[in-house]
Amino acid sequence: GSFDQLTAILITAIFLVVASFGQGLVILIGGIDLSIGIVMGVGGMMIANLTRGSNDALIYALPVALVCCTAIGALNGIGIALAKLPPFIMTLSSATTFYGVALGLTAGGSQQSVAPALQDFMSSRWAGIPLPIIFMIVFVTIAILFQNRTAVGRKLYAMGSSPGAARVLGLPIVPLTIAVYAISGLCAGIAGILLAGYAASATLEMGNALLMPTIAAVVIGGARVTGGTGLYVGTLAG
């Protein structure tokens, strides 16, 4: 197809690209995050209800939404690393819990319009290139460098390959586990905010359809579900 068709596909893929990075890190250490869909919905609902169509509110709405989503991910990590709960159970239960909390606070739907600046970001171009695609390029570059070119990334591969050996080597298993799930929550929050800007509004269920595709993208990209292998480049292709 045409260049416009290609850019349209890439723009609609940005939500999966961002959320899949967090899922990929979680799977890399042998876990799974089933709360991503709900966290995306929470992030989108927060940005819509806090901004209420005002650009000025973005100054505090963005950090508040991202911190809350990161905190949900960190809570998952704490339950898994310290309470030794299975990742499947911990992330599923937290998703159910926070869905219920958000449902009670918002009555299940957001009629508030997202800040125009966020909507403009998802539809504007710079030098003929859509801003979301530029954001995607920057995000993918940072993600690849973090996972494959940093000491933290190498430690995550070691944890996933052999948790026992990683523990013997003295790797900080608990802090790294909490950090990975926090990053997953952060990525889900970013994806939810971008999705809210794309749709100009938000619902609690808007991220649910992307949960399984995040897992599929990681697995199709060559990652092993038991941990220890996988590249974000593969996830991106998946």
Side-chain angles (χ1 to χ4, degrees), residues 113-176:
S113 178
V114 177
L118 192 56
Q119 299 178 47
D120 292 341
F121 174 80
M122 294 301 297
S123 59
S124 298
R125 293 173 178 258
W126 181 78
I129 303 174
L131 288 180
I133 294 181
I134 296 175
F135 173 85
M136 185 189 300
I137 294 171
V138 174
F139 180 88
V140 168
T141 301
I142 294 173
I144 291 174
L145 291 175
F146 173 81
Q147 185 168 334
N148 301 113
R149 300 294 182 181
T150 65
V152 174
R154 289 192 291 272
K155 290 176 183 178
L156 297 182
Y157 278 99
M159 285 175 55
S161 298
S162 178
R167 192 170 292 106
V168 171
L169 289 172
L171 296 183
I173 305 296
V174 171
L176 285 175

